[in-house]
């Protein structure tokens, strides 16, 4: 593990004990080791934000910490999974962080996704259309992340590392092509890495995924992940309405009137089922 010291020097570091689990973005206390070049991580400062997910055992693990902008990258190829986009944006909402939707590979064509992009814009989420390969829209993306600590997330193969390579100083990130057999992305980023943005700010390149869900506990209010559902829920007949089969549900009324996306309601219900499975130990 590498740590950047206060003077900017990057050093290799070990972790003191088994209970400390630092992640990319953490602020840590370190001390030099006698007669060695390595340093020792002795403590982790409180996190102001943390992107989490459930692991294979159903326990919640932290992926990255202390970010203020979550950049969700999608592309026409591999085909966007909007349910994953919803969940990443929800991860920003749960952390009171900003979210930005970036559609890469705009040279391939984005016309079939205009409706989804327009809906996210109505919810207040910014979006950019860019092409790393053709260097289109990159100035706007660089401006959007400048001075921030931004985490780049998304499906494998959407071009996160290619975009980041256009904006950073130092050694470029490894990239790979789409799998020809299934037109799916290949994992190229194995571990999250914090990189210096040219002109100021930090970028965290996280591994690509084929699925993602934020870490949910029994106390998590899944409505917070979906801002329009959270807002409409105040008009439901019952304060504890889950927007499933309850009468007088303002969220279902919103879907029928066209003000709330039916797909987003289904996305909410899927995440609610996942939360229930997690809390019951069935993940």
């Amino acid at each position: 593990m590498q740590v950047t010291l206060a003077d900017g020097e990057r050093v290799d570091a070990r972790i003191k004990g088994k209970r400390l689990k630092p992640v990319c973005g953490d602020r840590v206390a370190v001390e030099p080791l006698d007669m060695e070049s390595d340093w020792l991580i002795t403590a982790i400062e409180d996190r102001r934000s943390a992107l989490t997910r459930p692991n294979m055992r159903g326990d919640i693990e932290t992926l990255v910490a202390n970010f203020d902008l979550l950049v969700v990258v999608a592309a026409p190829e591999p085909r966007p999974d909007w349910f994953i986009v919803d969940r990443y944006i929800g991860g920003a909402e749960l952390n009171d962080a900003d979210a930005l939707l970036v559609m890469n590979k705009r040279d391939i064509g984005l016309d079939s996704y205009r409706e989804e992009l327009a809906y996210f814009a109505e919810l207040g989420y910014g979006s950019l259309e860019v092409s790393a390969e053709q260097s289109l829209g990159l100035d706007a993306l660089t401006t959007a992340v400048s001075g921030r600590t931004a985490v780049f997330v998304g499906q494998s193969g959407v071009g996160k590392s290619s975009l980041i390579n256009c904006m950073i100083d130092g050694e470029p990130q490894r990239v790979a092509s789409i799998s020809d057999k299934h037109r799916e992305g290949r994992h190229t980023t194995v571990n999250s890495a914090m990189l210096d943005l040219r002109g100021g700010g930090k970028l965290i390149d996280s591994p690509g995924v084929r699925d993602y869900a934020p870490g949910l506990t029994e106390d998590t209010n899944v409505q917070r992940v979906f801002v329009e559902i959270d807002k409409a829920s105040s008009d439901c007949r019952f304060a504890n309405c889950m927007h499933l089969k309850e009468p007088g549900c303002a969220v279902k009324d919103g879907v029928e009137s066209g003000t709330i996306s039916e797909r987003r309601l289904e996305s909410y219900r899927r995440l609610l089922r996942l939360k229930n499975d997690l809390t019951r130990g069935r993940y």
Side-chain angles (χ1 to χ4, degrees), residues 6-28:
D7 61 3
E9 180 185 2
R10 291 195 175 186
V11 298
D12 291 325
R14 305 176 196 170
I15 303 169
K16 183 178 181 178
K18 296 181 179 180
R19 299 183 64 182
L20 289 180
K21 298 185 183 301
V23 298
C24 191
D26 268 329
R27 296 180 177 88
V28 298

Side-chain angles (χ1 to χ4, degrees), residues 167-179:
M167 296 185 290
I168 63 170
D169 290 317
E171 186 175 345
Q173 298 295 94
R174 180 168 166 259
V175 299
S177 60
I178 297 292
S179 166

Side-chain angles (χ1 to χ4, degrees), residues 156-213:
S156 300
V158 295
K160 297 185 304 297
S161 296
S162 295
L163 288 172
I164 288 174
N165 285 343
C166 298
M167 296 185 290
I168 63 170
D169 290 317
E171 186 175 345
Q173 298 295 94
R174 180 168 166 259
V175 299
S177 60
I178 297 292
S179 166
D180 289 330
K181 184 176 181 181
H182 300 293
R183 309 310 294 168
E184 293 179 342
R186 295 181 174 132
H187 299 281
T188 54
T189 302
V190 178
N191 297 305
S192 296
M194 179 172 281
L195 310 164
D196 292 323
L197 176 67
R198 191 179 301 121
K202 302 287 185 182
L203 299 179
I204 298 176
D205 186 12
S206 66
V209 300
R210 292 198 175 97
D211 196 11
Y212 169 76

Side-chain angles (χ1 to χ4, degrees), residues 4 35-36 60 66 69 88 146 152 177 186 255 270:
T4 302
M35 309 296 292
E36 296 188 39
I60 294 175
N66 297 316
L69 175 64
Y88 271 127
S146 180
F152 276 57
S177 60
R186 295 181 174 132
V255 171
R270 289 187 186 189

